Amino acid sequence: RGFLLPDTQGCYEDGAHLAYPRNQRPARTFKNQATAASLAHTFKDLERAPISRHRLGRYGLHHAHVFVNEIEGFRGERWNVSGLLYHAAEYPAYDDDCFPYNLGRCQLGSTLHASNTTLARRNAFLVYAEREETQGSPNARRLCLAVLDASADGPYHALAPAEKLHTADESWFGGGENAKHAEVAYVNDTVYLIV
């Protein structure tokens, strides 16, 4: 059974709901504690990563979008790919010069400064890929956690351009328009699934 995410950093006082109750998307805790602990660890790793330096919390890093896809490898082999696309610097403080964007109630009270570097490195992803054994190729598994550098001269600029506030979209990594979307949220040291 689902429920709304718990209040964090006064979001309910501001009328902000991080789990989008207007769409009736309930949050659930994970039954498997090892899965929950591993996911919590990835959020903490991204906070500690020197390349990103993002803060965990309501205004910074608190959620990731789930994506699932099947892709063709270089030799024609099929890979099943699943992962999480993290968005950090979610609600920077409004600033006439640096961040002149009103993001609604979720932004109220934010002290998060939006620099070009912070926004260009606000997207990260965790990817798990698995290839079934085929003739001549053994089965293989890969896991990668990476921060996307979308700065003007960065390799991922086209995925998260500045005019879109450097926001990468999970549909670019798989699933397409008809995919069922889910999110993972990390709030008050607990991991939640939002479907």
Side-chain angles (χ1 to χ4, degrees), residues 15-65:
H17 298 277
L18 301 178
Y20 312 106
R22 65 184 178 278
N23 294 331
Q24 300 303 310
R25 296 176 66 196
R28 297 178 175 97
T29 54
F30 284 82
K31 289 181 182 178
N32 185 309
Q33 292 303 307
T35 300
S38 294
L39 290 170
H41 189 71
T42 63
F43 279 93
K44 293 173 186 175
D45 278 351
L46 288 170
E47 181 182 41
R48 289 188 295 258
I51 191 171
S52 60
R53 297 188 182 163
H54 292 297
R55 294 188 317 212
L56 289 173
R58 166 186 170 184
Y59 307 111
L61 175 61
H62 68 266
H63 82 284
H65 300 269

XYZ file of all heavy atoms in Angstrom, residues 15-65:
411
model
N 3.524 23.829 1.095
C 2.549 23.304 0.137
C 3.199 22.530 -0.997
O 2.615 22.350 -2.060
N 4.418 22.068 -0.763
C 5.162 21.321 -1.788
C 5.059 19.825 -1.511
O 5.225 19.383 -0.381
C 6.622 21.752 -1.771
N 4.781 19.047 -2.544
C 4.672 17.594 -2.417
C 5.649 16.959 -3.395
O 5.448 17.028 -4.604
C 3.244 17.128 -2.701
C 2.256 17.674 -1.741
N 2.029 17.102 -0.509
C 1.460 18.760 -1.808
C 1.114 17.805 0.133
N 0.755 18.824 -0.629
N 6.675 16.318 -2.869
C 7.701 15.740 -3.719
C 7.243 14.468 -4.430
O 7.877 14.030 -5.374
C 8.958 15.451 -2.895
C 9.583 16.672 -2.198
C 10.791 16.256 -1.384
C 9.967 17.739 -3.209
N 6.133 13.867 -3.994
C 5.654 12.619 -4.620
C 4.471 12.853 -5.548
O 3.837 11.908 -5.970
C 5.278 11.600 -3.557
N 4.183 14.086 -5.884
C 3.142 14.420 -6.855
C 1.782 13.792 -6.525
O 1.256 12.998 -7.286
C 3.561 13.983 -8.271
C 4.955 14.410 -8.610
C 5.984 13.494 -8.646
C 5.243 15.745 -8.857
C 7.287 13.893 -8.934
C 6.536 16.145 -9.147
C 7.549 15.212 -9.180
O 8.817 15.610 -9.455
N 1.159 14.130 -5.377
C -0.112 13.504 -5.007
C -1.248 13.830 -5.971
O -2.202 13.081 -6.075
C -0.388 14.072 -3.617
C 0.351 15.363 -3.587
C 1.585 15.136 -4.432
N -1.125 14.912 -6.730
C -2.214 15.247 -7.657
C -2.363 14.178 -8.738
O -3.401 14.027 -9.340
C -1.974 16.621 -8.289
C -0.757 16.689 -9.181
C -0.533 18.113 -9.684
N 0.645 18.192 -10.495
C 1.888 18.308 -10.048
N 2.100 18.348 -8.750
N 2.906 18.376 -10.864
N -1.287 13.426 -9.001
C -1.354 12.337 -9.968
C -1.591 10.992 -9.290
O -1.535 9.958 -9.939
C -0.051 12.269 -10.781
C 0.120 13.502 -11.642
O -0.856 14.110 -12.056
N 1.352 13.878 -11.894
N -1.818 11.032 -7.993
C -2.075 9.813 -7.224
C -0.954 8.790 -7.402
O -1.181 7.622 -7.672
C -3.430 9.205 -7.605
C -4.614 10.120 -7.359
C -4.705 10.561 -5.911
O -4.653 9.744 -5.002
N -4.841 11.854 -5.676
N 0.268 9.246 -7.265
C 1.417 8.347 -7.377
C 1.923 8.053 -5.975
O 2.655 8.843 -5.398
C 2.508 8.995 -8.225
C 2.068 9.234 -9.650
C 3.120 9.951 -10.433
N 4.286 9.101 -10.577
C 5.473 9.566 -10.942
N 5.648 10.840 -11.182
N 6.486 8.754 -11.068
N 1.529 6.914 -5.409
C 1.931 6.623 -4.039
C 3.403 6.212 -3.934
O 3.992 5.704 -4.876
C 1.025 5.459 -3.650
C 0.705 4.783 -4.938
C 0.669 5.880 -5.979
N 3.964 6.448 -2.765
C 5.335 6.040 -2.468
C 5.281 4.762 -1.640
O 4.366 4.558 -0.842
C 6.042 7.143 -1.689
N 6.273 3.908 -1.862
C 6.356 2.644 -1.123
C 7.802 2.436 -0.684
O 8.721 2.788 -1.406
C 5.946 1.467 -2.019
C 4.530 1.529 -2.498
C 4.237 0.341 -3.427
N 2.842 0.335 -3.805
C 2.373 0.845 -4.929
N 3.182 1.399 -5.790
N 1.089 0.786 -5.196
N 7.970 1.835 0.471
C 9.321 1.461 0.883
C 9.654 0.116 0.243
O 8.766 -0.631 -0.166
C 9.425 1.347 2.419
O 8.418 0.455 2.885
C 9.271 2.700 3.081
N 10.920 -0.187 0.144
C 11.361 -1.449 -0.434
C 11.281 -2.561 0.601
O 11.709 -2.390 1.740
C 12.805 -1.330 -0.940
C 12.931 -0.572 -2.225
C 12.961 0.811 -2.220
C 13.015 -1.238 -3.432
C 13.074 1.518 -3.405
C 13.131 -0.544 -4.624
C 13.157 0.835 -4.608
N 10.731 -3.703 0.220
C 10.680 -4.855 1.122
C 12.069 -5.439 1.315
O 12.415 -5.893 2.394
C 9.747 -5.933 0.572
C 8.291 -5.545 0.633
C 7.426 -6.658 0.101
C 5.967 -6.218 0.124
N 5.083 -7.248 -0.435
N 12.867 -5.440 0.260
C 14.210 -5.992 0.323
C 15.156 -4.928 0.873
O 15.467 -3.951 0.185
C 14.642 -6.459 -1.079
C 15.981 -7.143 -1.066
O 16.954 -6.619 -0.528
N 16.040 -8.318 -1.670
N 15.636 -5.133 2.087
C 16.478 -4.136 2.747
C 17.842 -3.984 2.077
O 18.431 -2.907 2.093
C 16.647 -4.491 4.233
C 15.359 -4.339 5.019
C 14.790 -2.926 4.907
O 15.469 -1.946 5.155
N 13.535 -2.818 4.510
N 18.332 -5.061 1.461
C 19.621 -4.972 0.754
C 19.501 -4.051 -0.455
O 20.405 -3.255 -0.733
C 20.089 -6.361 0.326
N 18.384 -4.127 -1.172
C 18.147 -3.241 -2.314
C 18.060 -1.792 -1.840
O 18.679 -0.898 -2.423
C 16.861 -3.636 -3.059
O 17.000 -4.975 -3.533
C 16.566 -2.697 -4.205
N 17.289 -1.570 -0.774
C 17.141 -0.212 -0.240
C 18.491 0.349 0.208
O 18.814 1.502 -0.075
C 16.151 -0.214 0.925
N 19.291 -0.472 0.876
C 20.607 -0.015 1.348
C 21.527 0.308 0.169
O 22.257 1.302 0.203
C 21.237 -1.073 2.253
N 21.505 -0.512 -0.871
C 22.342 -0.256 -2.053
C 21.942 1.034 -2.747
O 22.797 1.824 -3.158
C 22.238 -1.423 -3.045
O 22.796 -2.582 -2.487
N 20.639 1.268 -2.875
C 20.171 2.498 -3.515
C 20.523 3.726 -2.669
O 20.944 4.751 -3.200
C 18.670 2.426 -3.776
C 18.254 1.440 -4.869
C 16.742 1.267 -4.880
C 18.757 1.896 -6.228
N 20.361 3.627 -1.360
C 20.737 4.738 -0.474
C 22.220 5.039 -0.628
O 22.639 6.205 -0.654
C 20.405 4.396 0.970
N 23.023 3.986 -0.755
C 24.471 4.146 -0.919
C 24.807 4.936 -2.190
O 25.710 5.772 -2.183
C 25.124 2.764 -0.949
C 26.607 2.797 -0.903
N 27.319 3.151 0.222
C 27.532 2.534 -1.858
C 28.609 3.105 -0.042
N 28.764 2.730 -1.301
N 24.061 4.713 -3.285
C 24.348 5.456 -4.529
C 24.052 6.946 -4.356
O 24.798 7.786 -4.870
C 23.574 4.910 -5.746
O 22.177 5.061 -5.552
C 23.908 3.460 -6.010
N 22.976 7.287 -3.646
C 22.686 8.707 -3.394
C 23.836 9.336 -2.590
O 24.296 10.433 -2.890
C 21.366 8.865 -2.639
C 20.148 8.802 -3.509
C 19.487 7.608 -3.718
C 19.642 9.939 -4.121
C 18.356 7.540 -4.512
C 18.520 9.898 -4.923
C 17.872 8.687 -5.117
N 24.292 8.629 -1.565
C 25.386 9.146 -0.740
C 26.687 9.241 -1.528
O 27.462 10.184 -1.346
C 25.568 8.257 0.492
C 24.390 8.332 1.450
C 24.536 7.325 2.567
C 23.301 7.298 3.445
N 23.371 6.249 4.478
N 26.940 8.260 -2.414
C 28.138 8.323 -3.265
C 28.120 9.562 -4.146
O 29.146 10.211 -4.335
C 28.234 7.080 -4.156
C 28.836 5.891 -3.440
O 29.337 6.060 -2.309
O 28.796 4.788 -4.017
N 26.958 9.887 -4.703
C 26.867 11.066 -5.572
C 27.061 12.352 -4.782
O 27.602 13.327 -5.301
C 25.529 11.082 -6.313
C 25.417 10.025 -7.410
C 23.991 9.940 -7.929
C 26.385 10.330 -8.542
N 26.643 12.373 -3.528
C 26.869 13.555 -2.699
C 28.369 13.741 -2.425
O 28.869 14.858 -2.399
C 26.118 13.433 -1.373
C 26.295 14.654 -0.481
C 25.600 14.522 0.849
O 25.642 13.445 1.460
O 25.011 15.527 1.287
N 29.086 12.634 -2.272
C 30.521 12.692 -1.956
C 31.410 12.837 -3.190
O 32.587 13.151 -3.064
C 30.927 11.428 -1.195
C 30.394 11.359 0.211
C 30.993 10.187 0.947
N 30.605 8.911 0.376
C 29.676 8.103 0.885
N 29.044 8.451 1.982
N 29.384 6.962 0.311
N 30.875 12.577 -4.369
C 31.704 12.581 -5.587
C 32.294 13.966 -5.838
O 31.561 14.955 -5.902
C 30.863 12.141 -6.787
N 33.606 14.078 -6.002
C 34.234 15.390 -6.222
C 33.722 16.102 -7.473
O 33.648 17.317 -7.507
C 35.723 15.064 -6.369
C 35.898 13.711 -5.801
C 34.586 13.005 -5.930
N 33.357 15.350 -8.506
C 32.911 15.977 -9.750
C 31.539 16.634 -9.600
O 31.224 17.597 -10.270
C 32.891 14.966 -10.921
C 32.693 15.709 -12.240
C 31.828 13.904 -10.715
C 32.866 14.851 -13.462
N 30.699 16.142 -8.700
C 29.340 16.685 -8.611
C 29.139 17.600 -7.410
O 28.565 18.667 -7.527
C 28.314 15.549 -8.580
O 28.526 14.706 -7.467
N 29.578 17.187 -6.232
C 29.423 17.968 -5.004
C 27.987 18.431 -4.767
O 27.738 19.595 -4.487
C 30.360 19.159 -5.011
C 31.794 18.744 -5.025
C 32.707 19.897 -4.836
N 34.066 19.394 -4.924
C 35.113 20.144 -5.117
N 34.981 21.424 -5.233
N 36.296 19.609 -5.190
N 27.052 17.525 -4.883
C 25.648 17.861 -4.673
C 25.228 17.551 -3.247
O 25.726 16.607 -2.634
C 24.763 17.094 -5.653
C 24.933 17.534 -7.062
N 24.636 18.818 -7.487
C 25.405 16.895 -8.155
C 24.907 18.936 -8.764
N 25.373 17.784 -9.200
N 24.300 18.345 -2.756
C 23.766 18.125 -1.416
C 22.536 17.245 -1.508
O 21.682 17.429 -2.380
C 23.354 19.453 -0.777
C 24.507 20.372 -0.512
C 24.085 21.579 0.288
N 22.818 22.155 -0.157
C 22.513 23.437 -0.094
N 23.369 24.288 0.377
N 21.352 23.876 -0.496
N 22.444 16.296 -0.585
C 21.222 15.506 -0.463
C 20.169 16.390 0.190
O 20.477 17.211 1.044
C 21.466 14.270 0.406
C 22.337 13.186 -0.212
C 22.645 12.105 0.828
C 21.642 12.568 -1.409
N 18.917 16.239 -0.210
C 17.848 16.985 0.421
C 16.811 17.469 -0.564
O 16.905 17.253 -1.776
N 15.827 18.129 -0.032
C 14.667 18.602 -0.787
C 15.041 19.445 -2.004
O 14.449 19.322 -3.064
C 13.777 19.390 0.165
C 12.730 20.213 -0.501
C 12.003 21.071 0.501
N 11.155 22.021 -0.192
C 10.452 22.947 0.410
N 10.469 23.042 1.723
N 9.714 23.782 -0.277
N 15.999 20.335 -1.868
C 16.343 21.255 -2.949
C 17.413 20.697 -3.882
O 17.539 21.136 -5.008
C 16.823 22.595 -2.378
C 15.851 23.198 -1.401
C 16.157 23.273 -0.053
C 14.619 23.671 -1.831
C 15.262 23.823 0.857
C 13.716 24.215 -0.933
C 14.045 24.281 0.414
O 13.148 24.817 1.301
N 18.180 19.767 -3.381
C 19.290 19.220 -4.146
C 18.971 17.870 -4.746
O 18.117 17.727 -5.618
N 19.642 16.859 -4.256
C 19.512 15.502 -4.773
C 18.569 14.710 -3.886
O 18.865 14.470 -2.718
C 20.898 14.836 -4.809
C 20.974 13.379 -5.213
C 20.448 13.166 -6.632
C 22.408 12.874 -5.092
N 17.407 14.329 -4.412
C 16.476 13.526 -3.620
C 15.717 12.485 -4.436
O 14.956 11.718 -3.882
C 15.479 14.415 -2.865
C 14.502 15.124 -3.763
N 14.727 16.395 -4.230
C 13.324 14.726 -4.292
C 13.721 16.757 -4.996
N 12.856 15.766 -5.070
N 15.912 12.450 -5.762
C 15.186 11.449 -6.537
C 15.917 11.058 -7.814
O 16.837 11.743 -8.258
C 13.774 11.933 -6.865
C 13.705 12.836 -8.047
N 14.099 14.145 -8.015
C 13.305 12.603 -9.325
C 13.927 14.694 -9.200
N 13.463 13.782 -10.027
N 15.482 9.927 -8.361
C 16.021 9.416 -9.622
C 14.886 8.779 -10.409
O 13.934 8.253 -9.828
C 17.118 8.391 -9.359
N 14.975 8.847 -11.725
C 13.978 8.251 -12.612
C 14.466 6.878 -13.077
O 15.632 6.723 -13.434
C 13.741 9.143 -13.836
C 13.260 10.504 -13.470
N 11.922 10.804 -13.372
C 13.932 11.639 -13.173
C 11.791 12.074 -13.032
N 12.996 12.602 -12.905
